[in-house]
Amino acid sequence: MALELVSENKSFGGWHKQYRHFSRVLDCTMQFAIYLPPAAMLGEKVPVLYWLSGLTCTDENFMQKAGAQRLAAELGIAIVAPDTSPRGEGIPDDPDQAYDLGLGAGFYVNATMAPWCDHYRMYDYVVAELPALVEAHFPVSQHRSVAGHSMGGHGALVAALRNPQRYASVSAFSPISNPCNAPWGQKAFTAYLGDDREAWQSYDASVLMAKPQGLVAALVDQGLADSFLARELHPEALLAAAKDSGYPLTLRQHEGYDHSYYFIASFIEEHLRFHAGHLQKEA
């Protein structure tokens, strides 16, 4: 697959780059960002943290707002940030142009319902197609971790829970932890997957964590001033599932913090160090 360089910026001795490519899985052109630390510039194969962003976001939000490059450079970790849904001419969008369905709201599932099923296969894209592309074109290893925020936190947890052999660790900020019982999740799952709630469960982190296929160290941070906490996020369901199954989940709750990138920037260093520790064990 050919990569088209969109932009590049030197950062902390490494490089932040944006690329465009055609995705066979999504049947459209996609864009992603990658931060390559100085070690990668010297030819060393470095591990990768995949970052999945939330509703309305693109590949740019995390890279511009989280302040992760300095420590990623120090730790020798590459960061890859994909877009949050397919985009472009002919890609279906919510007819009401709502922010929580369609463009920018792929929910990291493989849609099975029309008109979404021809393009909205973000689960396969972030779990398989994009990592294969990254590993073929950049000096990175097959040691991977995954993280995300909100809808992306849901995506990261689901990816790790369904593929424990692929990831050394998983973390999330303010994830949609129990989408089967949250308005955001119910709306997206009904559109993308249909009315069969059993099909929804394979994309619900709380359901998956209750009966894990394997164990991946997990860190979740939740702000207690988050306006979406009670209605959409349900971290209590994730914690209950982990307690029932003995899953290695650390869930931290923080007074005063909201759903924004101010929250992410405040604790991203701890998440990067968490992943670095587990990636080093894999190496």
Side-chain angles (χ1 to χ4, degrees):
M1 259 182 285
L3 290 179
E4 176 190 350
L5 181 65
V6 176
S7 69
E8 59 181 348
N9 305 90
K10 194 164 188 179
S11 178
F12 295 100
W15 285 91
H16 167 270
K17 301 189 179 192
Q18 287 179 302
Y19 288 93
R20 191 177 291 125
H21 74 103
F22 182 80
S23 165
R24 295 190 182 94
V25 166
L26 304 176
D27 194 24
C28 67
T29 298
M30 292 293 286
Q31 184 166 295
F32 70 91
I34 184 169
Y35 176 72
L36 293 166
M41 300 296 96
L42 298 174
E44 181 181 336
K45 285 200 169 187
V46 298
V48 184
L49 174 65
Y50 288 87
W51 174 269
L52 308 184
S53 291
L55 289 164
T56 76
C57 292
T58 68
D59 64 289
E60 296 183 342
N61 297 71
F62 178 82
M63 292 299 201
Q64 293 181 4
K65 295 180 178 180
Q69 290 89 345
R70 177 191 60 80
L71 190 59
E74 176 187 321
L75 296 172
I77 296 174
I79 301 175
V80 172
D83 204 345
T84 49
S85 77
R87 299 181 194 266
E89 186 176 351
I91 304 299
D93 192 13
D94 183 77
D96 298 322
Q97 296 187 318
Y99 75 94
D100 55 357
L101 187 69
L103 301 185
F107 258 84
Y108 304 102
V109 304
N110 287 339
T112 56
M113 305 298 291
W116 315 102
C117 54
D118 289 340
H119 299 283
Y120 282 72
R121 302 183 61 82
M122 288 298 293
Y123 174 82
D124 279 354
Y125 178 70
V126 300
V127 169
E129 187 182 30
L130 182 60
L133 181 71
V134 168
E135 289 162 17
H137 286 86
F138 300 99
V140 301
S141 71
Q142 293 185 347
H143 301 305
R144 316 174 195 92
S145 290
V146 62
H149 171 232
S150 193
M151 179 185 72
H154 138 77
L157 289 167
V158 168
L161 286 162
R162 289 179 56 168
N163 303 276
Q165 75 287 351
R166 287 186 65 85
Y167 301 101
S169 51
V170 58
S171 74
F173 290 88
S174 316
I176 305 171
S177 297
N178 189 201
C180 288
N181 292 308
W184 277 340
Q186 291 167 342
K187 178 178 179 178
F189 287 0
T190 300
Y192 297 145
L193 305 173
D195 294 326
D196 181 1
R197 285 181 169 254
E198 284 198 20
W200 299 7
Q201 293 183 10
S202 61
Y203 295 105
D204 189 307
S206 293
V207 173
L208 295 170
M209 193 169 282
K211 296 181 179 179
Q213 301 177 25
L215 303 180
V216 180
L219 171 64
V220 171
D221 276 332
Q222 175 62 59
L224 293 178
D226 191 321
S227 60
F228 302 112
L229 177 56
R231 178 177 169 86
E232 302 286 1
L233 305 182
H234 302 299
E236 70 282 354
L238 194 67
L239 187 59
K243 286 183 176 179
D244 287 345
S245 66
Y247 201 88
L249 168 69
T250 299
L251 193 155
R252 309 187 303 185
Q253 301 183 80
H254 304 272
E255 292 285 350
Y257 286 94
D258 59 17
H259 201 72
S260 71
Y261 265 83
Y262 294 106
F263 175 41
I264 295 170
S266 297
F267 296 97
I268 191 61
E269 179 170 343
E270 294 174 35
H271 282 238
L272 289 174
R273 293 194 185 279
F274 166 77
H275 291 298
H278 289 283
L279 287 164
Q280 287 167 1
K281 292 176 186 177
E282 293 282 311

